[in-house]
Amino acid sequence: MSEPITVCVTGAAGQIAYSLLPMICRGNAFGEKQMLYLNLLDIEPMAAPLEGVVMELHDSSFNCTLEIRAFTDPMLAFKDADAAILVGAVPRREGMERKDLLARNASIFKVQGQALDKVAKKSVKVLVVGNPANTNALIASTFAPSIPKEQFTALTMLDMNRARSFVAQRAQVQPQQVKNVVIWGNHSKTQYPDVTHGTITTNTGTTASIMSVINDTPYLQGDFISAVQNRGGAIIKARKLSSAMSAAKAIADHMRYWFQGTAEGEFVSMAVMSDGSYGIKPGVVYSFPVTIKDGKISIVQDLPIDEFSREMMDKTYDELVQEKEVAMQVTAQ
């Protein structure tokens, strides 16, 4: 059995965490044999509900937790953290522009980045979930200069899971039969769900490209993309609440891949610091196809990019550049 690790989850009294924490405690994120010190962080007004969450986790008698601790101070919550899952953020409300949301959340992720820089392990693996997640990850990384930038990621696994599900339903297979769907760019309505590199293991056991199995390019370049981009809003409209359960599942998937690696021949989507791959200039957190081995994330190289994909990838990059400009202005104040 490996050494215990310390995991911190922010926004721990919120609805995403309420779905996520049981998954972590039963081993879905870090492994069933990985023992955890679980640090839960939320703001002071949520201290009482947070204690209730701790009570429920204790009452569930999970096998993976050595200790569960509640905090309202990030300097205490991030102490010696091996993994930090930054869920807590001001939610987007009706009528709020994305730039307004960014301005509200920038100060939160600046403070959390500074705290991580001071007290977390330099090897800490950081996943940002609170929106706008890509740019919030950039802010946190900027204010944690002693932690390598490649250890800051943002969640696009939810978008990837959604895309796989749509493909699976269309092809009448199970989602696990769909591989190598890519989410490029921002976790927003400009994201580009790309199936041109993906495969399906058919119900007869053969493997074929998604494009050939679906055989409907207008759908895959039209309604499919729109459906993935707008799925979060559709769920809010249907249940009057955000997609907490599927977000929690995606967070657990993201961390499981990061800690346990990807299978041979398979890649997944994570938003990571751009290194110039695929013409995306460094300096933004952009979703790429990645593989993971021994905890190291590597961007998959040399996938062919057609003209349609290039246009979509550039559009979502341009949005991230605009968000970065706003973020840097706000955090400089």
Side-chain angles (χ1 to χ4, degrees):
M1 184 179 295
S2 58
E3 289 293 314
I5 61 173
T6 297
V7 176
C8 180
V9 178
T10 77
Q15 65 157 347
I16 292 177
Y18 198 75
S19 292
L20 171 65
L21 293 171
M23 296 183 188
I24 291 175
C25 292
R26 68 168 62 99
N28 296 148
F30 299 97
E32 295 180 1
K33 295 183 179 180
Q34 178 62 66
M35 302 303 293
L36 310 170
Y37 294 103
L38 184 59
N39 291 352
L40 307 181
L41 175 66
D42 217 310
I43 57 176
E44 189 66 42
M46 298 300 293
L50 184 58
E51 286 298 335
V53 172
V54 172
M55 291 179 200
E56 285 208 72
L57 290 173
H58 282 308
D59 292 349
S60 298
S61 296
F62 291 112
N63 293 329
C64 292
T65 49
L66 294 171
E67 190 174 358
I68 303 168
R69 302 170 288 207
F71 298 98
T72 56
D73 183 347
M75 292 291 287
L76 299 176
F78 291 141
K79 178 68 174 173
D80 295 327
D82 296 282
I85 303 172
L86 310 186
V87 179
V90 175
R92 187 172 183 175
R93 308 203 183 276
E94 188 172 354
M96 182 184 287
E97 295 292 331
R98 190 172 176 86
K99 64 180 181 180
D100 299 326
L101 180 68
L102 175 58
R104 292 287 301 276
N105 281 317
S107 60
I108 295 173
F109 289 89
K110 176 179 178 179
V111 169
Q112 292 185 351
Q114 291 169 330
L116 285 163
D117 193 56
K118 291 176 181 176
V119 300
K121 291 181 180 177
K122 300 310 175 189
S123 58
V124 64
K125 293 176 170 62
V126 182
L127 169 60
V128 175
V129 180
N131 285 315
N134 296 55
T135 300
N136 287 339
L138 178 66
I139 294 168
S141 172
T142 299
F143 289 93
S146 69
I147 298 172
K149 293 188 181 301
E150 60 266 25
Q151 289 164 216
F152 285 83
T153 65
L155 186 71
T156 55
M157 191 73 64
L158 174 57
D159 308 302
M160 188 193 81
N161 285 347
R162 287 168 170 166
R164 289 177 68 195
S165 175
F166 280 120
V167 169
Q169 291 175 64
R170 190 84 171 190
Q172 297 185 319
V173 298
Q174 294 300 307
Q176 61 266 28
Q177 293 171 251
V178 180
K179 306 291 185 185
N180 298 348
V181 173
V182 179
I183 303 296
W184 299 99
N186 202 2
H187 175 62
S188 74
K189 290 183 179 180
T190 68
Q191 66 173 270
Y192 172 39
D194 176 14
V195 301
T196 59
H197 315 290
T199 62
I200 293 175
T201 302
T202 68
N203 292 326
T204 61
T206 60
T207 299
S209 71
I210 292 173
M211 297 295 289
S212 66
V213 174
I214 301 295
N215 194 28
D216 190 343
T217 298
Y219 165 73
L220 292 172
Q221 291 187 348
D223 288 348
F224 165 74
I225 292 174
S226 178
V228 177
Q229 291 173 334
N230 293 284
R231 185 65 160 183
I235 290 170
I236 290 173
K237 183 177 180 180
R239 67 184 298 262
K240 313 305 177 189
L241 293 168
S242 64
S243 46
M245 177 171 52
S246 54
K249 167 62 164 52
I251 294 166
D253 289 345
H254 182 112
M255 299 310 290
R256 184 181 70 254
Y257 283 122
W258 201 350
F259 274 76
Q260 300 182 29
T262 50
E264 185 70 28
E266 180 179 1
F267 48 79
V268 297
S269 293
M270 294 183 177
V272 298
M273 198 68 68
S274 176
D275 62 359
S277 295
Y278 297 99
I280 303 303
K281 295 178 182 178
V284 297
V285 174
Y286 190 99
S287 183
F288 290 98
V290 302
T291 57
I292 302 102
K293 185 176 182 179
D294 298 327
K296 177 179 172 53
I297 299 172
S298 300
I299 297 173
V300 176
Q301 298 296 318
D302 301 324
L303 294 177
I305 304 299
D306 60 26
E307 184 177 348
F308 177 82
S309 295
R310 182 76 267 164
E311 181 180 345
M312 297 294 290
M313 291 164 67
D314 289 345
K315 180 180 179 180
T316 190
Y317 168 75
D318 289 343
E319 182 183 52
L320 284 167
V321 171
Q322 294 170 9
E323 287 188 9
K324 178 182 177 179
E325 291 174 355
V326 175
M328 295 304 106
Q329 291 171 5
V330 172
T331 54
Q333 296 173 2

